[in-house]
Amino acid sequence: MIITAITEVISLGAVIPFLGVLTAPDKVFSYPIVFDIAQNFGISSSEQLMLPITVLFISAIFLANFTRVLLLWISTKLSFMAGADLSFEVYSRTLHQPYIVHLERNSSEVITGILNKVGGVVFNILLPSLTFISSLLLLIMVITALMVIDPVITSITVIGFGSTYVLT
């Protein structure tokens, strides 16, 4: 989850240089970091900078999307593995009940109950909890990165969107 949040912040950070090269290519060289990096790679004009910045931007987006899909796969797999362990434990405890309990219950009802309850735990508790935690971590990382870039605009935006969200 942390790696996914970091790659999302990197992809967010890649937007700024990409848009800078598109909108004001000559102004990009006024930033000392960009100027130093461009000189190290032998780039002297804004036209030469367009391709590397575009490749970096697309790479950052692909990396963020790859880690997001990987996180989704891992979260789903973890939830279903926990569900399988829970099913095994419930079924094992059911089998170890006294014999009289088994005589009084219909086995198909027991199996259906186990599957429904464990499925409810997986789909209604585990998976949404993992999704919520990863989304919250992503939100914190993105807001932190934006606060580092411009605290005033970020604060105004967070308060504006936050109050709109709370009011609706």
Side-chain angles (χ1 to χ4, degrees):
M1 289 180 192
I2 292 172
I3 292 170
T4 300
I6 290 170
T7 58
E8 288 291 333
V9 169
I10 289 170
S11 71
L12 179 68
V15 170
I16 296 168
F18 179 68
L19 290 178
V21 168
L22 288 179
T23 58
D26 297 328
K27 191 176 179 182
V28 172
F29 281 105
S30 66
Y31 296 108
I33 295 172
V34 175
F35 183 75
D36 292 340
I37 293 172
Q39 274 190 334
N40 288 338
F41 287 105
I43 297 172
S44 58
S45 70
S46 57
E47 289 80 26
Q48 292 175 326
L49 194 60
M50 182 71 77
L51 180 63
I53 293 291
T54 304
V55 169
L56 285 173
F57 175 69
I58 291 171
S59 299
I61 297 299
F62 276 125
L63 180 65
N65 287 333
F66 174 75
T67 57
R68 196 177 312 142
V69 168
L70 185 63
L71 175 65
L72 178 64
W73 179 75
I74 290 170
S75 297
T76 305
K77 185 172 177 135
L78 179 66
S79 296
F80 282 104
M81 286 173 56
D85 289 346
L86 187 60
S87 289
F88 178 77
E89 185 64 30
V90 170
Y91 191 68
S92 177
R93 288 183 185 221
T94 302
L95 284 179
H96 290 94
Q97 295 290 319
Y99 182 69
I100 191 75
V101 173
H102 292 290
L103 290 175
E104 294 172 355
R105 288 188 192 167
N106 184 348
S107 61
S108 64
E109 290 176 6
V110 171
I111 292 171
T112 303
I114 291 171
L115 291 176
N116 287 341
K117 288 179 182 170
V118 170
V121 168
V122 168
F123 288 110
N124 297 326
I125 296 173
L126 292 177
L127 208 50
S129 296
L130 288 173
T131 303
F132 174 76
I133 291 168
S134 67
S135 297
L136 184 64
L137 186 62
L138 176 64
L139 177 70
I140 291 169
M141 293 284 283
V142 167
I143 288 176
T144 302
L146 290 174
M147 286 295 251
V148 167
I149 294 169
D150 191 346
V152 175
I153 298 295
T154 303
S155 299
I156 292 169
T157 304
V158 167
I159 290 170
F161 280 122
S163 61
T164 302
Y165 181 76
V166 168
L167 291 174
T168 56

